[in-house]
Amino acid sequence: MADLTAGPMTTAEIRAEYDTMTRRKRLYGGIMLVLFVAMMMAGFRTADGRNAGSFRDGITHVFDYPAEVLSEAGEKLALLPGHLVTFFPALIETLNIAAASTLVGLVFGTLLSLLSTRGMARWPAFIPLFRRIMDICRAIPEIVIALVLIFLLGGGPVPAMIAIAIHTAGALGKLFSEVNENASLKPVEGLESAGASWGQRMWLGVIPQVGPNYVSYALLRFEINIRASAILGFVGAGGIGYELKNAMSWGQGRYDEAAAIFLLLFITITLVDQISSGMRDRLIHGAKA
Amino acid sequence: MTYLDAEFCPVAAKRDMDHLFWKKKLWSFALPALVLVYLAYVFVAFDMAGLWQRVSLQNAQTLVSDTYSYKTHVTRDNRNGEVSVAIEGERKGAYPKGESPAWVTLGATSVIDLEQGHEVRFGPESIEYAIPGYGLVRATPSRSKGVQAELPPGEVPDWISVSKNRLAVKTDAGRLTVTRNRSEVFRYFTGWELFFFTLDSPYHGLGLVELAQRAATGEAGAIFNDFWTNKMWRHQDVAWAIVETLLMAFLGTIGAGIIALPLAFLAARNFAPLGALRFAMRRVFDFLRGVDSLIWTVVLARAFGPGPLTGALAILVTDTGTFGKIFSEALENVDDKQIEGITSTGAKPAQRYRFGVIPQITPVLLSQLLYFLESNTRSATIIGAITGGGIGLLLTQAIITQKDWEEVAYYIVLIILMVMMMDWLSGWLRRRLIKGEGGKAKRRGSAAGKPFVLP
């Protein structure tokens, strides 16, 4: 800002300049804030207008449905353990979908990330291609692939598994390539000088360095995939989501079952969340030590 | 592990090393083996072996061919002899009465030219299909005797199926089906017909140059209107659906950020002196996150009905929990020295937060918000499919009909483009806004740039 050729500025000048700068900054900040608030308001009004029920009418009824479910579940409290046992296999299916898709996604994500990291890629010329593949895998919402596959393969866990695995491969691939960039290339060079193949270089030179980070990200992904597989069940791909949809569409009379499913899902998600965050802490901590 | 004794014994050292190697080998084989065993179990549990019988190749073929081609139906009502032409057999794509594309000649005997020498004639009494290299297939439908088919002598090829009430011929040029009540010819074309204008628009079938000329002479509004209100592809509805989806993501993410920030102060160890309150806040966050967005969607849909507001609120509630957790962790990592410095100038508490704390967490906060904005665009598509709003709903509706696969392909392309655009936008904003903080971005680079793996 200050022009050095004009000689030293007086304190008053510096002060005046600082004040104008602050004022301008505040003005810009204010304008941004007003614009932002206006956008939020307009967005809210649009969403409210296009919704079936309005916000003002609905807000007082938010707890009606949970209250109904809970009161019916409360009346039939004795049946609850039975329901928990009944829906346990469905929960296992949901967990299996999540676990299998995480594993498959982990394998493909690892491959994609290794193929698209400079210095490790098998075919350096194709790095942009593999990056684009990852981007596209990541951009497709699971539900899109799942619905199309349900049409082709019929309902069941496999469409959901494939759909989640594709998305997981893309998402993990991106995170893994960030991890790879921080890995040392020296072991890879050493192995190369000893005549190791690409697979050996990656398996023995890179994976031991990045393994803990990979597993930590994969655990986090597993958590997310449980939620995703529950949602996909809701649109027809087996598991606890499907049972929830059935219990829900039946409406009153089977709310106790819905409550049991809610409970199972909540306990599972919270439990996996706690366990995986503990494991991730240990993994990353152990890697540093 | 191994450590050196006072008296070094090579034999013992070797034994130790062998033991270590053995253990490592065991690990490196046991782990993949365990994974394989698990995958084998899943293979059985999901009945993958039986999957191949359930794969519907027919469906796959319809899906793939439908995404890049369309068919025009020429239908003759056998009860009154009326012939109509419609794209995809839909009323929205029907040619006006008495009009037809160039390859169909309407008359007492309607001639349908399927090219490559294939020709179908809808006569007053019978339907004839001249197939080069095979001969003439004639079918006479009548109410009393069903469909009487006359084929060239010899064995009936497998692309023709004949029964008492039905004749179906399937060739590369097209398809003919004759039943008692109607005769129908399908001719396949590549492309998405009527994408820009439907048949009732005067602009249908005009070239780009012609359109540009007409637009220049003052018809731009009418041209746009015909495109915008296209009944077949519903560009207006699709545009609104995308806006709704983006709106859900935007309102949900930003709203969650606004609500979570003050709550995060209550859950951070260094800002909330009251242990019980902190504990309670954390359990609230865990609860919001643990009750999955699926359940929130279901519950909120009951109160607010289907639509974008419900989706936005579902995202808002779930993400309040996530943001609360992330923000409170960020708050616990702030540097106390800056706050002390501000305090030493005699700042009031509000000023301490404004100038001592907020600038420190802004990079983390903004980058997480932007990451979630992008990932919530995807979630909003999924939630939209459940609550009934946005592009997710259009997609599920199109898939449920099981025939509008070209629309499904169109929506999928739009969704991918939308998500990639949001990905790019969020990355760009992240770079702009966080780099804008100057040197600070470098120092906090590791914290701000580290993505919290996205749902």
Side-chain angles (χ1 to χ4, degrees):
Chain A
M1 287 289 152
D3 190 356
L4 290 176
T5 54
M9 292 168 87
T10 60
T11 323
E13 276 171 355
I14 293 175
R15 193 190 173 91
E17 198 150 293
Y18 176 77
D19 278 351
T20 37
M21 207 175 79
T22 326
R23 232 172 303 155
R24 198 183 316 131
K25 227 179 163 180
R26 276 204 193 130
L27 184 70
Y28 285 163
I31 291 174
M32 285 297 285
L33 192 71
V34 168
L35 267 179
F36 187 75
V37 170
M39 247 166 87
M40 286 288 289
M41 295 290 287
F44 176 78
R45 290 182 63 118
T46 317
D48 201 20
R50 295 184 73 83
N51 212 54
S54 77
F55 182 74
R56 199 175 301 167
D57 294 338
I59 195 75
T60 47
H61 297 289
V62 169
F63 294 107
D64 286 6
Y65 179 63
E68 267 177 57
V69 170
L70 284 181
S71 72
E72 190 173 329
E75 283 164 26
K76 301 183 190 167
L77 200 59
L79 294 175
L80 196 63
H83 287 321
L84 290 182
V85 173
T86 320
F87 293 117
F88 196 67
L91 178 69
I92 294 291
E93 184 166 71
T94 295
L95 285 176
N96 274 337
I97 294 172
S101 57
T102 311
L103 281 174
V104 175
L106 176 71
V107 171
F108 283 99
T110 308
L111 275 177
L112 279 174
S113 76
L114 290 176
L115 287 172
S116 63
T117 310
R118 220 163 280 124
M120 296 179 192
R122 180 83 174 77
W123 304 283
F126 289 121
I127 288 179
L129 172 75
F130 289 115
R131 290 231 170 121
R132 285 298 88 71
I133 293 178
M134 283 195 309
D135 285 349
I136 291 175
C137 285
R138 219 153 36 88
I140 308 175
E142 293 104 343
I143 201 164
V144 171
I145 302 174
L147 284 174
V148 172
L149 285 178
I150 287 173
F151 175 65
L152 296 183
L153 307 178
V158 182
M161 196 201 83
I162 297 173
I164 300 177
I166 289 176
H167 182 74
T168 306
L172 284 182
K174 187 187 178 207
L175 294 167
F176 287 178
S177 30
E178 274 166 27
V179 176
N180 290 347
E181 266 155 29
N182 293 327
S184 159
L185 285 175
K186 284 187 183 135
V188 182
E189 282 159 19
L191 284 163
E192 195 171 8
S193 70
S197 69
W198 183 75
Q200 288 169 328
R201 289 203 301 273
M202 293 302 117
W203 182 246
L204 301 169
V206 180
I207 299 294
Q209 293 185 61
V210 294
N213 278 318
Y214 275 24
V215 176
S216 140
Y217 278 135
L219 277 173
L220 202 54
R221 200 67 227 177
F222 176 57
E223 255 176 77
I224 295 164
N225 284 350
I226 294 178
R227 296 159 189 259
S229 83
I231 289 189
L232 288 187
F234 208 80
V235 296
I240 194 119
Y242 183 68
E243 301 291 341
L244 178 62
K245 187 178 186 162
N246 281 346
M248 290 249 329
S249 51
W250 186 273
Q252 212 144 21
R254 275 175 70 178
Y255 277 160
D256 48 333
E257 291 180 15
I261 295 168
F262 283 155
L263 196 65
L264 273 178
L265 206 53
F266 177 68
I267 292 174
T268 313
I269 288 174
T270 315
L271 209 67
V272 172
D273 194 86
Q274 296 294 333
I275 293 173
S276 100
S277 85
M279 275 169 83
R280 273 185 289 131
D281 255 9
R282 256 184 43 196
L283 271 169
I284 295 303
H285 194 72
K288 274 180 192 156
Chain B
M1 298 253 188
T2 52
Y3 51 86
L4 294 179
D5 281 344
E7 59 250 70
F8 179 70
C9 167
V11 180
K14 183 168 185 326
R15 201 184 51 228
D16 281 353
M17 282 321 280
D18 279 349
H19 186 68
L20 185 71
F21 267 70
W22 182 76
K23 234 164 74 179
K24 289 217 161 175
K25 264 185 205 157
L26 193 71
W27 260 109
S28 61
F29 281 104
L31 215 61
L34 266 176
V35 169
L36 272 181
V37 167
Y38 177 73
L39 285 180
Y41 155 70
V42 167
F43 192 87
V44 175
F46 288 179
D47 191 22
M48 297 269 219
L51 192 68
W52 300 116
Q53 279 118 49
R54 279 181 278 134
V55 173
S56 165
L57 283 177
Q58 177 84 48
N59 283 359
Q61 217 174 6
T62 329
L63 193 156
V64 172
S65 69
D66 219 25
T67 48
Y68 67 84
S69 68
Y70 70 95
K71 57 187 190 300
T72 304
H73 299 214
V74 184
T75 315
R76 174 184 188 265
D77 192 330
N78 291 342
R79 287 165 298 191
N80 53 21
E82 260 178 40
V83 177
S84 60
V85 185
I87 287 167
E88 291 289 358
E90 289 182 47
R91 194 182 299 162
K92 289 175 288 189
Y95 282 81
K97 219 172 169 57
E99 283 182 36
S100 67
W103 49 275
V104 178
T105 321
L106 298 178
T109 300
S110 302
V111 181
I112 300 146
D113 178 14
L114 297 180
E115 287 180 356
Q116 299 154 27
H118 292 253
E119 198 175 71
V120 179
R121 275 187 294 279
F122 286 171
E125 293 303 325
S126 56
I127 314 297
E128 290 172 347
Y129 186 176
I131 304 166
Y134 179 67
L136 188 73
V137 177
R138 180 181 290 124
T140 315
S142 67
R143 285 215 69 83
S144 48
K145 292 182 205 146
V147 176
Q148 288 171 300
E150 297 163 46
L151 301 178
E155 210 174 300
V156 178
D158 58 356
W159 41 270
I160 296 185
S161 79
V162 196
S163 68
K164 189 171 165 293
N165 286 320
R166 191 167 180 274
L167 168 76
V169 185
K170 205 172 156 188
T171 62
D172 289 337
R175 202 163 158 175
L176 168 72
T177 323
V178 183
T179 60
R180 246 194 311 196
N181 291 333
R182 62 200 207 143
S183 320
E184 204 165 23
V185 174
F186 296 171
R187 184 176 165 188
Y188 293 87
F189 295 92
T190 315
W192 289 351
E193 183 63 353
L194 310 183
F195 183 77
F196 295 106
F197 302 106
T198 41
L199 289 168
D200 53 5
S201 159
Y203 305 109
H204 175 73
L206 296 186
L208 202 63
V209 180
E210 175 107 353
L211 273 181
Q213 276 170 0
R214 289 207 183 190
T217 54
E219 289 182 50
I223 292 175
F224 180 75
N225 186 49
D226 275 9
F227 167 75
W228 195 236
T229 55
N230 182 330
K231 286 194 294 292
M232 205 78 165
W233 286 87
R234 302 192 298 164
H235 296 291
Q236 190 177 10
D237 295 346
V238 172
W240 264 113
I242 287 184
V243 169
E244 278 186 3
T245 305
L246 291 175
L247 201 59
M248 281 191 234
F250 175 73
L251 284 180
T253 315
I254 307 295
I258 292 172
I259 296 174
L261 186 59
L263 294 181
F265 277 97
L266 298 180
R269 198 178 303 126
N270 42 352
F271 292 100
L274 219 61
L277 182 68
R278 214 162 60 215
F279 182 81
M281 269 335 290
R282 294 209 163 168
R283 293 294 84 79
V284 168
F285 291 152
D286 283 347
F287 177 76
L288 290 180
R289 255 158 12 100
V291 179
D292 189 35
S293 63
L294 169 66
I295 302 177
W296 285 121
T297 309
V298 164
V299 168
L300 292 170
R302 288 291 166 126
F304 297 102
L309 183 70
T310 312
L313 288 175
I315 292 175
L316 186 146
V317 175
T318 320
D319 279 2
T320 301
T322 318
F323 283 151
K325 189 177 147 97
I326 299 176
F327 290 176
S328 64
E329 276 164 13
L331 281 172
E332 284 178 0
N333 290 330
V334 295
D335 195 350
D336 280 337
K337 294 206 181 90
Q338 294 189 30
I339 307 169
E340 270 170 38
I342 303 275
T343 318
S344 71
T345 63
K348 288 189 275 295
Q351 289 169 324
R352 269 204 310 261
Y353 286 122
R354 168 65 188 83
F355 297 104
V357 182
I358 297 289
Q360 287 197 56
I361 60 163
T362 313
V364 185
L365 211 135
L366 273 179
S367 74
Q368 292 300 348
L369 271 181
L370 289 169
Y371 269 122
F372 272 79
L373 187 63
E374 184 257 330
S375 93
N376 279 341
T377 317
R378 229 174 303 114
S379 311
T381 313
I382 299 175
I383 288 177
I386 301 172
T387 63
I391 192 90
L393 178 70
L394 284 188
L395 180 77
T396 35
Q397 279 174 347
I399 288 180
I400 285 168
T401 64
Q402 302 214 338
K403 60 187 177 65
D404 298 329
W405 292 107
E406 68 284 352
E407 275 169 40
V408 174
Y410 175 50
Y411 297 149
I412 290 177
V413 169
L414 283 179
I415 290 173
I416 293 176
L417 286 180
M418 177 182 78
V419 174
M420 286 181 122
M421 195 203 74
M422 285 304 282
D423 191 13
W424 170 83
L425 181 74
S426 116
W428 180 77
L429 275 175
R430 215 154 46 217
R431 279 191 302 278
R432 280 297 303 263
L433 290 173
I434 294 164
K435 286 256 171 67
E437 304 275 348
K440 213 186 297 163
K442 271 240 150 59
R443 194 162 56 73
R444 317 210 129 252
S446 61
K450 184 174 148 255
F452 181 88
V453 186
L454 307 169

